[in-house]
Amino acid sequence: MLDFFTIFSKGGLVLWCFQGVSDSCTGPVNALIRSVLLQERGGNNSFTHEALTLKYKLDNQFELVFVVGFQKILTLTYVDKLIDDVHRLFRDKYRTEIQQQSALSLLNGTFDFQNDFLRLLREAEESSKIRAPTTMKKFEDFEKAKKPVRSMIETREKPKEKAKNSKKKGAKKAGSDGPSVTNKAPPAEKSGLPAGPENGELSKEELIRRKREEFIQKHGRGMDKSSKSMKSDAPKEKGKKAPRVWELGGGANKEVLDYSTPTTNGTPEAALSEDINLIRGTGLGGQLQDLDCSSSEDEGVVPNSTKPSATKGTLGGMFGMLKGLVGSKSLSREDMESVLDKMRDHLIAKNVAADIAVQLCESVANKLEGKVMGTFSTVTSTVKQALQESLVQILQPQRRVDMLRDIMDAQRHQRPYVVTFCGVNGVGKSTNLAKISFWLLENGFSVLIAACDTFRAGAVEQLRTHTRRLSALHPPEKHGGRTMVQLFEKGYGKDAAGIAMEAIAFARNQGFDVVLVDTAGRMQDNAPLMTALAKLITVNTPDLVLFVGEALVGNEAVDQLVKFNRALADHSMAQTPRLIDGIVLTKFDTIDDKVGAAISMTYITSKPIVFVGTGQTYCDLRSLNAKAVVAALMKA
């Protein structure tokens, strides 16, 4: 049973609607428009909204959308056939009204389609019932039943026959080796082993055992001495080795671990300020610059690519250009198939996940199928332009994260703004947390860093080093004696959720503007650690949850984000679980123009890329420029 079937234009005018139930179809259809049609995610023709499944079809020639909705627990096999039949009949019946392409004509037009739709629905339902039910196969229908029993018995006895043959061969070899064994009887007597006529019938295993005993008797004493010496030296070496004690971890031996710069008259050398300036980097720390994906090498390559084309004849070039023209006809799947295959391979080569590349090309095909092209438009240029528009739309998702505005709003409510960083191991969570801290300090906000990575050795010391350097860049003297950055840590082996809760309470009491919570790196398949992360987010309810991911990954990006979101939803104790709110893309300076990870991460989560890390200094933080990323992605 269908809940509704509606036909509307891409401009938003509803031409005809069928209501199977009393509930309105406005909410599900609006969700489909917001989440799929406007976000260029039309690769799949189905969409799930709450308890409904929506299937849709686009008519690009007349700018129409056909949508059918039904309960997702139902399996209706005739829905696809029904949409095709309704699309064909409605387009042919009201072609003249639709071709006028004016909103006034569509509003004044009368689309009496109720009887036709009910007839098509009845035919589709009957056609699904006419199909004969699938019957289970009998044993006689399988190939196994046709084999005789003798053949199955023979296959089971084959290993036994092989074993018998091997024993016969072994016996023959043992018989042939008999004289050689009897000749070596005297050395056997020396070694204390029994010798006699029975030795001529020894098997290979017994011969090997005898030779091994002889070898042990000859060389065993020296080996025993060496093994005893190794055992006696081992505890001495263990006793000599002492664990290293870090300087900032408490209880350090200053004479051994003093790696500081030499001092003169009790004052440190001036190298400290140069080191801090080097760490800071060059640039405006308070303003995020747009990401620039262009490179100087590509500018030199472009002129070279035009030289081979100049050698071709002008006649061949003209025919080649005219061959690719469409010429005022509607595009079909066959016209776009070869171009889309090349585009898909190109996207995969640029580090876009394979499944995402397939869905993008399918979305472009659905968007362009049936669309009438201009006289001098080629299929390649049309598909490329449509793909560029889709990619730009994907990189500009529904929600835009403005941290500075949200922090000022939290200040008005006299509470700290809490940001939690999560991700897999080794992606640069702590380093980019320090960059974001510097950016916030440059904008005049005080920051409390919560060291909730109580698992990795050196995690607290790393954050302490960043805090010391940030304090040197923004000392209290420059801010009226106010401490701008501070580290909150409780050591290792503690509960991360409890440390985060104490840090937020401490920030509220001390008047800090922002709390940045650093968490331990964890793989997406580690259930205990994912449960701990879900607990931390559920208990402390941060304002922003940022997933830190590498720009180097391809298909792994999809797996990481999907499983992180799924784990947060499964292990959360709240009724509405908190998922990832944004993405921090790191190591972007190492990938040249292979920027496909940005597309994969944004497509799979519909969340924005808030920050992009491009280097090792505190100023190497950028905001995503969608057009620059797409230009680098489409570059040959």
Side-chain angles (χ1 to χ4, degrees):
M1 179 180 177
L2 301 182
D3 283 27
F4 64 87
F5 195 111
T6 181
I7 305 172
F8 59 92
S9 67
K10 289 187 177 180
L13 295 176
V14 179
L15 306 184
W16 179 82
C17 183
F18 165 78
Q19 287 284 138
V21 294
S22 59
D23 295 339
S24 175
C25 64
T26 305
V29 173
N30 286 338
L32 172 69
I33 294 172
R34 285 193 304 268
S35 303
V36 178
L37 300 182
L38 294 181
Q39 293 295 320
E40 300 291 345
R41 300 173 188 272
N44 191 5
N45 65 341
S46 65
F47 172 71
T48 302
H49 176 72
E50 295 179 354
L52 293 178
T53 297
L54 279 68
K55 288 201 172 184
Y56 60 93
K57 184 173 184 179
L58 304 178
D59 188 334
N60 297 302
Q61 182 177 359
F62 298 112
E63 302 290 327
L64 298 178
V65 183
F66 298 80
V67 182
V68 58
F70 55 93
Q71 296 293 322
K72 64 180 180 182
I73 61 173
L74 301 177
T75 305
L76 304 181
T77 58
Y78 60 85
V79 171
D80 293 331
K81 180 179 183 302
L82 177 64
I83 292 180
D84 293 337
D85 294 342
V86 171
H87 169 236
R88 191 181 305 108
L89 182 60
F90 188 86
R91 183 186 58 185
D92 296 340
K93 187 174 182 179
Y94 301 105
R95 182 183 295 270
T96 55
E97 288 87 345
I98 300 170
Q99 279 181 340
Q100 294 179 5
Q101 293 183 351
S102 64
L104 186 61
S105 63
L106 292 177
L107 285 172
N108 295 332
T110 56
F111 301 95
D112 187 10
F113 197 66
Q114 187 77 11
N115 296 330
D116 296 328
F117 174 77
L118 293 176
R119 177 176 56 82
L120 293 175
L121 177 60
R122 188 167 54 252
E123 291 176 356
E125 290 177 346
E126 291 175 356
S127 64
S128 63
K129 294 178 182 178
I130 291 173
R131 295 177 182 176
T134 57
T135 57
M136 295 181 63
K137 290 184 177 181
K138 298 180 180 179
F139 177 74
E140 290 77 10
D141 298 334
F142 291 95
E143 295 183 358
K144 189 176 181 180
K146 299 177 183 178
K147 292 182 179 180
V149 179
R150 184 179 299 174
S151 63
M152 290 187 282
I153 295 173
E154 288 177 358
T155 54
R156 292 182 180 179
E157 290 182 353
K158 281 182 181 179
K160 296 181 180 179
E161 292 176 0
K162 290 182 180 179
K164 290 180 181 179
N165 295 332
S166 62
K167 286 182 180 179
K168 291 179 181 179
K169 291 179 181 179
K172 289 180 181 179
K173 289 183 180 179
S176 61
D177 295 340
S180 61
V181 175
T182 53
N183 294 334
K184 295 181 181 179
E189 292 176 356
K190 291 180 182 179
S191 61
L193 296 174
E198 296 179 355
N199 293 339
E201 300 178 357
L202 292 177
S203 63
K204 284 186 176 181
E205 294 179 357
E206 293 178 351
L207 289 173
I208 292 172
R209 183 174 56 80
R210 280 192 175 187
K211 291 179 180 179
R212 186 179 297 157
E213 290 175 356
E214 292 176 3
F215 180 79
I216 290 173
Q217 287 180 357
K218 289 181 181 179
H219 306 282
R221 295 178 181 177
M223 292 175 66
D224 293 339
K225 292 180 181 179
S226 61
S227 62
K228 289 180 181 179
S229 63
M230 291 290 288
K231 289 180 180 178
S232 61
D233 294 336
K236 292 181 181 178
E237 292 179 358
K238 289 183 179 177
K240 291 180 181 179
K241 187 176 180 181
R244 179 166 181 171
V245 182
W246 294 95
E247 178 186 355
L248 300 176
N253 186 359
K254 294 183 179 180
E255 296 178 357
V256 180
L257 299 175
D258 187 9
Y259 296 105
S260 60
T261 54
T263 59
T264 56
N265 298 326
T267 58
E269 291 183 353
L272 179 63
S273 61
E274 295 179 3
D275 190 20
I276 290 296
N277 291 329
L278 182 63
I279 293 168
R280 182 194 185 280
T282 58
L284 300 175
Q287 296 180 2
L288 286 180
Q289 301 177 0
D290 287 339
L291 186 66
D292 185 15
C293 299
S294 61
S295 60
S296 58
E297 296 178 359
D298 301 325
E299 297 175 358
V301 176
V302 173
N304 295 334
S305 60
T306 58
K307 289 181 181 179
S309 61
T311 58
K312 295 181 180 179
T314 55
L315 187 62
M318 285 292 295
F319 278 114
M321 183 185 68
L322 294 174
K323 185 179 180 181
L325 298 181
V326 179
S328 295
K329 74 168 186 177
S330 60
L331 277 174
S332 62
R333 288 264 179 173
E334 290 75 14
D335 298 331
M336 299 182 288
E337 187 175 359
S338 60
V339 180
L340 288 174
D341 289 342
K342 293 179 181 178
M343 289 292 178
R344 184 183 64 251
D345 296 340
H346 177 76
L347 291 175
I348 294 174
K350 291 288 186 175
N351 226 9
V352 179
D355 295 340
I356 306 297
V358 172
Q359 293 180 26
L360 283 171
C361 293
E362 188 67 23
S363 176
V364 171
N366 293 336
K367 183 179 179 181
L368 294 178
E369 187 178 8
K371 189 174 182 180
V372 178
M373 307 304 302
T375 306
F376 293 98
S377 298
T378 62
V379 177
T380 304
S381 63
T382 304
V383 172
K384 187 175 181 180
Q385 183 180 359
L387 185 59
Q388 284 180 342
E389 294 173 357
S390 300
L391 293 173
V392 171
Q393 190 66 35
I394 287 169
L395 289 174
Q396 296 172 347
Q398 306 171 16
R399 183 193 174 197
R400 181 175 177 267
V401 176
D402 191 345
M403 279 186 63
L404 300 181
R405 181 195 61 192
D406 296 339
I407 293 170
M408 288 187 286
D409 183 66
Q411 280 181 334
R412 286 193 291 270
H413 293 84
Q414 297 181 353
R415 65 174 184 85
Y417 185 81
V418 183
V419 183
T420 299
F421 294 81
C422 63
V424 299
N425 308 79
V427 295
K429 291 184 295 298
S430 302
T431 303
N432 285 273
L433 182 146
K435 293 180 185 178
I436 296 172
S437 301
F438 176 73
W439 173 66
L440 293 172
L441 292 172
E442 290 286 314
N443 283 281
F445 298 110
S446 58
V447 179
L448 179 68
I449 300 175
C452 294
D453 185 357
T454 61
F455 181 76
R456 177 173 64 90
V460 178
E461 287 76 15
Q462 182 183 7
L463 291 178
R464 188 180 285 118
T465 302
H466 282 303
T467 305
R468 191 175 69 248
R469 290 173 174 175
L470 292 171
S471 299
L473 290 170
H474 286 273
E477 294 79 15
K478 291 184 179 180
H479 300 276
R482 182 189 180 192
T483 302
M484 295 300 292
V485 59
Q486 187 174 338
L487 176 66
F488 186 90
E489 55 96 4
K490 292 292 184 180
Y492 296 96
K494 306 294 192 307
D495 181 28
I499 296 175
M501 182 182 293
E502 294 179 17
I504 295 170
F506 180 81
R508 186 181 293 108
N509 295 331
Q510 298 297 324
F512 282 95
D513 299 324
V514 186
V515 179
L516 301 181
V517 181
D518 183 32
T519 61
R522 63 205 75 210
M523 296 306 294
Q524 60 270 23
D525 299 321
N526 194 327
L529 289 180
M530 293 306 300
T531 306
L533 179 63
K535 175 188 173 184
L536 186 147
I537 293 174
T538 304
V539 170
N540 297 285
T541 60
D543 298 281
L544 188 65
V545 179
L546 293 178
F547 177 84
V548 185
E550 288 180 319
L552 303 170
V553 296
N555 293 327
E556 185 68 11
V558 178
D559 186 60
Q560 289 175 6
L561 282 164
V562 168
K563 290 187 177 179
F564 256 81
N565 266 333
R566 187 186 303 159
L568 291 178
D570 293 343
H571 301 299
S572 177
M573 296 174 287
Q575 187 175 3
T576 56
R578 184 68 180 278
L579 304 180
I580 294 169
D581 299 320
I583 300 169
V584 178
L585 201 58
T586 65
K587 305 177 185 178
F588 209 83
D589 53 324
T590 64
I591 57 171
D592 196 18
D593 59 347
K594 295 185 178 181
V595 295
I599 299 293
S600 301
M601 291 183 177
T602 313
Y603 188 92
I604 204 67
T605 60
S606 301
K607 302 299 180 183
I609 295 177
V610 186
F611 300 105
V612 179
T614 59
Q616 295 295 319
T617 65
Y618 289 146
C619 289
D620 291 330
L621 196 66
R622 300 287 185 271
S623 62
L624 187 71
N625 185 356
K627 293 184 179 179
V629 172
V630 172
L633 192 65
M634 299 301 295
K635 187 168 52 181

